[in-house]
């Protein structure tokens, strides 16, 4: 079943793109994943290769070096990558998120000067919103950008930053005023800036190949032309980026769940007990049926939201729904995969235990699922 998903693709070119990504995921990424995850090793060279293949700028305009693919295509690429190696897929999603502010809110001059390098493959990005004291309550951030001659001086600490310490550029939300939301601005910071450093990487349950660390900003000088949008627009920019990023997380969740389902199906068809394959027992077949239904439903949900985005419609509620449903589904599917494999699912000889560990973080990142429910409830109730 893995790799045999029937894709909804708009053009022959996009079908060819998915075929290339699928082959890359199977033949190159999957064999590396187990070793790199066990070693906690960040696969920087993998991202360089993805950049060379044009996979770090898929949804962005061709005039700036992007591939100008619809979000429906981009997300299915993310799903394929996640089915082989979540650390890489989530990294591509975060990189795309980090370029979102400049691509959608930057001036023409800023985009011409900066965007080609950011999405052209050589540079890797990070998105800096969360802080030690502000996660779900993003507007409570205290990192400050003080106005100085020619630009800003940045001080503060960002937390839970994917690619923290290894990124080439950071999209940073910082306080330029006292208003809770309208006092936040967006700044683009180069990774080698004086005063920027990273703490030791977090020792995570899963996705150990993905670098997550606090980013420390100590009197970092930022030129004025690195302000994205106007002062005070940062929170709006951040939330717009998260709507897109939540769809990336949903696609990651579907990819991991699809891989877990494939593993469970293969095991159930070959493992024999009481003289027959365990797949023939109704208890197992019903679990597989629920898993497959959940994967298909989540895929349909994220694609539906992506079609709204591609059509220029509001998709904030649908993005929250997709992220919520897909990641809860992924947690359930990976749990069931471990159960179907039994003891084999609890050891590292099989990938089911890695999928299980990885799935948990998807319910947390880019807005916990409790926050998604708040967003959905608020928006639905406002429409009544």
């Amino acid at each position: 079943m893995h790799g045999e998903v029937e894709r909804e693709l708009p053009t022959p070119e996009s079908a060819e793109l998915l075929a290339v990504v699928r082959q890359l995921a199977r033949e190159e990424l999957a064999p590396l994943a187990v070793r790199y995850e066990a070693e906690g090793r960040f696969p920087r060279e993998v991202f360089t290769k993805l950049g060379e293949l044009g996979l770090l700028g898929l949804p962005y305009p061709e005039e700036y070096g992007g591939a100008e693919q619809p979000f429906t295509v981009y997300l299915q690429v993310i799903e394929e990558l996640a089915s082989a190696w979540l650390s890489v897929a989530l990294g591509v999603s975060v990189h795309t998120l980090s370029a979102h502010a400049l691509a959608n809110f930057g001036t023409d001059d800023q985009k011409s000067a900066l965007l080609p390098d950011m999405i052209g493959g050589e540079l890797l990005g990070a998105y800096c919103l969360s802080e030690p004291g502000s996660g779900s309550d993003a507007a409570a951030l205290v990192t400050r950008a003080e106005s100085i001659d020619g630009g800003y001086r940045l001080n503060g600490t960002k937390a839970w930053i994917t690619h923290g310490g290894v990124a080439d550029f950071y999209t940073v939300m910082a306080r330029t005023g006292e208003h809770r939301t309208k006092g936040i601005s967006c700044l683009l910071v180069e990774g080698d800036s004086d005063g920027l450093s990273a703490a030791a990487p977090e020792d995570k349950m899963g996705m150990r190949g993905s670098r997550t660390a606090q980013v420390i900003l100590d009197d970092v000088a930022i030129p004025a032309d690195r302000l994205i949008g106007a002062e005070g627009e940062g929170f709006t920019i951040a939330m717009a980026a998260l709507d897109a990023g939540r769809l990336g997380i949903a696609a990651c969740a579907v990819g991991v769940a699809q891989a877990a389902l494939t593993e469970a199906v293969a095991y159930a068809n070959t493992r024999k007990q009481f003289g027959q394959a365990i797949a023939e027992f109704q208890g197992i077949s019903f679990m597989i049926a629920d898993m497959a239904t959940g994967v298909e439903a989540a895929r349909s949900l994220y694609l539906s939201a992506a079609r709204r985005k591609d059509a220029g419609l509001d998709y904030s509620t649908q993005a929250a729904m997709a992220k919520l449903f897909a990641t809860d589904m992924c947690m359930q599917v990976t749990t069931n995969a471990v159960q179907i494999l039994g003891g084999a699912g609890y050891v590292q000889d099989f990938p089911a235990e890695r999928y299980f560990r990885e799935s948990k973080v998807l319910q947390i990142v880019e807005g916990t699922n409790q926050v998604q429910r708040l967003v959905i409830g608020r928006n639905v109730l406002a429409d009544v």
Side-chain angles (χ1 to χ4, degrees), residues 223-344:
D225 65 0
R226 297 305 174 92
L227 174 69
I228 307 300
E231 276 197 12
E233 288 186 349
F235 192 74
T236 298
I237 292 171
M239 293 302 104
L242 282 180
D243 282 342
R246 284 165 179 166
L247 291 182
I249 299 302
C252 283
V254 173
V256 172
Q258 179 68 64
L261 172 61
T262 300
E263 180 76 9
V265 168
Y267 188 86
N269 279 325
T270 55
R271 171 70 168 169
K272 287 185 167 54
Q273 291 289 279
F274 305 102
Q276 59 186 341
I278 64 172
E280 296 179 29
F281 292 103
Q282 189 179 75
I284 299 295
S285 69
F286 278 16
M287 289 175 72
I288 295 289
D290 288 342
M291 293 159 72
T293 301
V295 171
E296 189 65 29
R299 181 179 292 120
S300 296
L301 194 56
Y302 87 62
L303 286 173
S304 175
R307 282 192 290 270
R308 290 184 63 87
K309 175 174 169 55
D310 288 335
L313 301 172
D314 180 79
Y315 68 101
S316 179
T317 303
Q318 289 78 13
M321 288 176 172
K323 195 273 184 184
L324 167 65
F325 184 84
T327 58
D328 279 354
M329 175 278 300
C330 185
M331 190 74 250
Q332 185 61 59
V333 166
T334 56
T335 299
N336 284 347
V338 170
Q339 189 69 24
I340 289 170
L341 268 69

Side-chain angles (χ1 to χ4, degrees), residues 341-374:
L341 268 69
Y346 200 68
V347 295
Q348 294 186 10
D349 302 49
F350 292 82
E353 67 85 32
R354 173 164 68 88
Y355 301 146
F356 175 79
R357 287 186 289 107
E358 290 176 340
S359 64
K360 185 64 223 176
V361 76
L362 298 175
Q363 294 178 301
I364 298 169
V365 295
E366 294 190 31
T368 66
N369 283 6
Q370 286 69 36
V371 166
Q372 306 309 321
R373 288 178 170 90
L374 286 172

